[in-house]
């Protein structure tokens, strides 16, 4: 009988990737980022473990959406108080906090449990082209990642 091999935490190799969001479509970018965070691009993928890599997204303010979504797509948040609902369009949120757009899209594609929260911590999103993660020597890449790496 074949046994499923579960990788040990010590044997996991975590890579760092830099993704340029300039000109990328939001949903397609977010789904590829979620796959890499989850580790589905690796042959050692295990559903109950964090085997994914770190992702640094730069130029978050240059991400695009199709059609009329720039003016029709709404982002909602609630303070928890009565009447505390805040609604903002994509274009207003992109001008104010462009990092939140990518973070919200990726968070919606991760599991809704403790593992998903742990995976989300490996996503770093920045407004401009500069980021403070040079010491990790991230690999500039375009998504989707090839499975040969």
């Amino acid at each position: 009988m074949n046994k499923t091999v579960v990788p040990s935490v010590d044997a996991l190799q975590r890579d760092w990737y830099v993704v340029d969001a300039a000109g990328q479509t939001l949903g397609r970018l977010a789904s590829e980022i979620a796959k890499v965070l989850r580790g589905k691009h690796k042959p050692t993928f295990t559903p109950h473990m964090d085997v994914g890599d770190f992702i640094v997204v730069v130029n978050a303010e240059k991400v695009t959406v199709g059609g009329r979504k720039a003016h029709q797509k709404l982002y909602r948040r609630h303070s928890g108080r009565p009447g505390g609902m805040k609604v903002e369009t994509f274009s207003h949120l992109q001008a104010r906090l462009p990092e939140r757009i990518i973070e919200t899209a990726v968070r919606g594609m991760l599991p809704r449990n403790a593992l998903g929260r742990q995976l989300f911590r490996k996503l770093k999103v920045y407004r401009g082209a500069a980021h403070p993660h040079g010491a990790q020597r991230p690999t500039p890449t375009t998504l989707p990642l090839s499975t040969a790496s």
Side-chain angles (χ1 to χ4, degrees), residues 85-105:
M85 175 75 80
K86 306 282 186 184
V87 180
E88 198 168 13
T89 64
F90 175 88
S91 57
H92 286 123
L93 188 58
Q94 190 174 28
R96 195 172 65 86
L97 288 172
E99 303 91 355
R100 188 174 291 173
I101 291 172
I102 295 176
E103 290 171 354
T104 304

Side-chain angles (χ1 to χ4, degrees), residues 15-121:
D15 296 325
W16 284 73
Y17 295 105
V18 174
V19 177
D20 190 1
Q24 301 257 0
T25 305
L26 176 63
R28 294 173 189 271
L29 176 68
S31 64
E32 292 298 325
I33 290 172
K35 283 180 197 174
V36 175
L37 288 175
R38 189 96 197 267
K40 287 192 163 191
H41 65 291
K42 294 183 175 184
T44 58
F45 171 69
T46 307
H48 68 278
M49 288 180 65
D50 177 10
V51 296
D53 297 325
F54 289 84
I55 296 280
V56 178
V57 180
V58 294
N59 292 323
E61 76 278 2
K62 297 179 183 173
V63 72
T64 62
V65 290
R68 300 181 190 169
K69 290 190 193 102
H71 303 294
Q72 291 181 349
K73 184 172 178 58
L74 299 176
Y75 288 88
R76 296 174 177 90
R77 64 188 194 279
H78 200 285
S79 67
R81 307 280 297 173
M85 175 75 80
K86 306 282 186 184
V87 180
E88 198 168 13
T89 64
F90 175 88
S91 57
H92 286 123
L93 188 58
Q94 190 174 28
R96 195 172 65 86
L97 288 172
E99 303 91 355
R100 188 174 291 173
I101 291 172
I102 295 176
E103 290 171 354
T104 304
V106 172
R107 183 181 284 134
M109 297 179 185
L110 293 175
R112 277 95 171 149
N113 53 23
L115 176 62
R117 291 186 292 274
Q118 181 180 351
L119 295 171
F120 183 72
R121 285 187 213 112

